[in-house]
Amino acid sequence: MAKEYSKLVELYCADKGVSSVEFCRTDNANVILSDDGDGVVYISEWNLSIAKPSNDDLAKFDD
Amino acid sequence: MAYIGTSPSNGVRRRFVYVATSNQTSFSGNDENGVSLVYVDVAYLDVYQNGVKLKSVDDYASTTGTSVVLVQGASTDDIIEIIAYDVFSVADTVSAKDGGNFAGNVGMGGTLAVTGVPTFTGRSVHSGGITIANAGQIGSVGDADAMAISSGGVVTFSQIPSGTPTSTVFKLVNTGNQDLSNGVETVLQFNSAPIDTASITSTGSNNVTITAATAGTYLIQGNSRISQRPGRQQLLFLIGTTITLIAEQSENDAGSGANPTIGFSSIIALSDGDVLTMKHWQASGGTITTIAGYSQPSLMGVRLF
């Protein structure tokens, strides 16, 4: 993906009507993104009312 | 020390009974009870004819060890009774009075009391433990006391301990760079473990696994350094099975330097099976990298007790 994974999540959420996404655990994150050290980013926690996106869903926002 | 009899299992006395035929002089082989005549020492042989004890040489000859020959032939149905007291010596024994050596293993069903100084050439094994006198010393053969144990079990060292440290110490570092995506909790990679006294680190899995032998209370320190200021903030996590430490640094806290360092340190209790990893999170808006060199990503621990 050309864009940051976090940016794709923000774009997906905005498209679904959610304007604010917080990724910082100490700031009451509603989405936690993780990388197990292998460079592969994935959604490990999803606490938004909209559906958790798949990688294909996110890829639609990657130019 | 001598004993009478061929062996303890055969008894100390043998009795052979023969019923004579007319004018019979030689008695050997199986007696009336089917026991074959045998004796070892003629000095311990008694021969009776109808209950009357005969005299050696004058009345009979006993030289073969398997026969007795009368000088005068017996009458029919005379009872010839031969009693053999064979003599043997028990040579393979250790004297209770004079002491000696046991060449093989020795078992002891009861308490072993030793007045002198026992010397063990090989290592001694005490499955039930070792107890010494209250405040007794444990030392070297050179009579240098090394330690004492009080009645309360308190150990006092007489010498300064030396040798390989028994404490568990580990240090994982990353001498390379690692990408940290924006807003992603990224497990930090470690490619080297310059210190690992108990072999509990893994550069392949980027973690530390506490074992039963290494469980205890640790002083833990971790830090990481990134290639640019962290934007809004950065977080450094220590993730364990039962604990999570988080160090947080805002952009202002990061100072004016271009490559801010973030770290944590704490004293924590770790149990058998605990797995420690470190994660780094940053909000610069884009991907940045960790930096090797001083303050490179590292995870260090020292077991205190």
Side-chain angles (χ1 to χ4, degrees), chain B residues 57-303:
Chain B
V57 181
D58 291 349
D59 296 331
Y60 66 90
S62 54
T63 58
T64 65
T66 57
S67 68
V68 169
V69 180
L70 302 182
V71 173
Q72 291 190 344
S75 301
T76 301
D77 294 334
D78 275 358
I79 301 300
I80 303 301
E81 185 176 9
I82 302 169
I83 308 298
Y85 301 92
D86 290 328
V87 176
F88 74 99
S89 294
V90 182
D92 190 19
T93 61
V94 174
S95 169
K97 175 177 176 290
D98 300 322
N101 296 319
F102 290 98
N105 297 335
V106 177
M108 191 71 61
T111 301
L112 174 64
V114 179
T115 302
V117 179
T119 301
F120 303 95
T121 302
R123 297 177 70 94
S124 60
V125 178
H126 305 263
S127 301
I130 297 176
T131 302
I132 66 171
N134 292 338
Q137 293 282 345
I138 298 175
S140 69
V141 71
D143 205 25
D145 291 336
M147 56 183 283
I149 304 176
S150 73
S151 59
V154 176
V155 177
T156 301
F157 290 99
S158 309
Q159 312 293 333
I160 299 173
S162 63
T164 303
T166 57
S167 181
T168 301
V169 183
F170 64 84
K171 181 179 184 180
L172 281 166
V173 300
N174 186 5
T175 58
N177 301 325
Q178 179 184 356
D179 287 343
L180 304 176
S181 297
N182 177 73
V184 177
E185 294 181 356
T186 303
V187 173
L188 287 176
Q189 299 170 344
F190 298 108
N191 61 5
S192 176
I195 301 173
D196 187 1
T197 62
S199 300
I200 57 176
T201 66
S202 170
T203 53
S205 300
N206 304 307
N207 62 24
V208 177
T209 301
I210 302 298
T211 63
T214 59
T217 300
Y218 279 75
L219 171 62
I220 296 287
Q221 181 176 348
N223 57 266
S224 184
R225 186 173 177 228
I226 50 180
S227 59
Q228 65 180 67
R229 292 168 62 79
R232 189 180 77 185
Q233 65 200 120
Q234 64 173 335
L235 307 177
L236 187 65
F237 300 84
L238 174 69
I239 307 295
T241 306
T242 56
I243 56 98
T244 299
L245 295 179
I246 303 177
E248 185 170 18
Q249 185 181 71
S250 68
E251 184 171 27
N252 290 334
D253 292 336
S256 58
N259 306 127
T261 298
I262 184 172
F264 59 77
S265 61
S266 184
I267 295 175
I268 57 177
L270 297 174
S271 304
D272 181 18
D274 275 345
V275 178
L276 303 178
T277 56
M278 273 177 60
K279 292 182 179 179
H280 198 154
W281 183 95
Q282 56 85 20
S284 67
T287 297
I288 58 178
T289 65
T290 62
I291 298 179
Y294 74 88
S295 295
Q296 62 197 355
S298 61
L299 175 60
M300 299 163 279
V302 178
R303 190 177 67 169

Side-chain angles (χ1 to χ4, degrees), chain A residues 4-7 22-27 31-39 41-42 44, chain B residues 178-179 181-187 189 206 232-233 235 237 246 248 279 281 285-287:
Chain A
E4 289 283 323
Y5 199 99
S6 57
K7 185 64 178 177
E22 178 56 62
F23 298 108
C24 183
R25 188 178 291 275
T26 58
D27 289 337
V31 175
I32 296 295
L33 304 180
S34 293
D35 173 348
D36 294 334
D38 54 8
V41 179
Y42 60 95
S44 57
Chain B
Q178 179 184 356
D179 287 343
S181 297
N182 177 73
V184 177
E185 294 181 356
T186 303
V187 173
Q189 299 170 344
N206 304 307
R232 189 180 77 185
Q233 65 200 120
L235 307 177
F237 300 84
I246 303 177
E248 185 170 18
K279 292 182 179 179
W281 183 95
T287 297

Side-chain angles (χ1 to χ4, degrees), chain A residues 13-30:
Chain A
C13 290
D15 186 61
K16 299 296 181 183
V18 176
S19 59
S20 177
V21 181
E22 178 56 62
F23 298 108
C24 183
R25 188 178 291 275
T26 58
D27 289 337
N28 299 316
N30 42 32

